[in-house]
Amino acid sequence: MSTDLSINLNKIALIRNSRDTEHPNVCEHALRCIAYGADGITVHPRPDQRHIRADDCFDLAKILQVEFNIEGNPLAPPMKSDRKGVSDYPGFMELVREIKPAQCTLVPDSDQQLTSDHGFDLTQSGDQIAPIIAELKALGIRVSLFMDPDPEQIKLAKQVGSDRIELYTGPYAAAVETNHNVEAVFQQFYQAAELAADLGLGLNAGHDLNLHNLKKFATVPHLLEVSIGHFLTVDAIDMGLEKAIKAYQSCLGK
């Protein structure tokens, strides 16, 4: 089984947003990623539009011929933009209802978070999430839930109707970085992957995966897709974009 590489463009948008400019151009960068071997494109718009903006999502939807994965909090409200030339944020659900991406990854983040740092607690939010999943699936969108490698939570992800889960790999990356408890942490993800497969859930993964830790993680069974943005962008500065993408694909056995 081959694992797809979906490249997250948030950091490219963040660089652009640091100036009053359209450079680097998010759509042009996406097309270069695809030309160099990316299997999909991921974005994670937030209401403050500090990196990927709503307009980027619409522009990307017009040009992409690969899987488009939009991540975000389905409970995120609309937000007025206070920047010249930047459209208002319509709300996550309004965005995906109009675009209808191939995949929608629901993430329980807040505006105050620097980045996503935990999966859903479906004992608390399952009743809210289930009808959202049903609506997205009715629109023809595959739904993935951002989850920790917690067996009971993964079982609940199946119960609320998700098609896939995306395992939050931050703890694994931290274990490798510090060389502490690596095998024990890795086994948590391995067992979570086996459980997901037994339940009929597809498996994605992402967060802080890089050239140092990806090859081992790619041995997790049934892994359909990894989403990588920050570290691939950093490596592209050192190696060039094409070489960086090929290096990540090599870690995935391609």
Side-chain angles (χ1 to χ4, degrees), residues 10 13 36 40 61 89 91 101 119 131-132 149 154 167-168 176 190 194 206 216 242 246 248 253:
N10 280 22
Y36 295 148
Y89 183 73
I132 291 170
I154 292 170
L167 289 175
Y168 166 55
V176 174
Y190 196 102
E194 293 281 29
K216 179 177 178 67
E242 182 174 10
K246 291 187 184 306
Y248 276 87

Side-chain angles (χ1 to χ4, degrees), residues 168-188:
Y168 166 55
T169 50
Y172 164 75
V176 174
E177 180 73 18
T178 59
N179 196 28
H180 179 70
N181 247 8
V182 176
E183 193 57 35
V185 174
F186 175 75
Q187 285 302 318
Q188 292 178 346

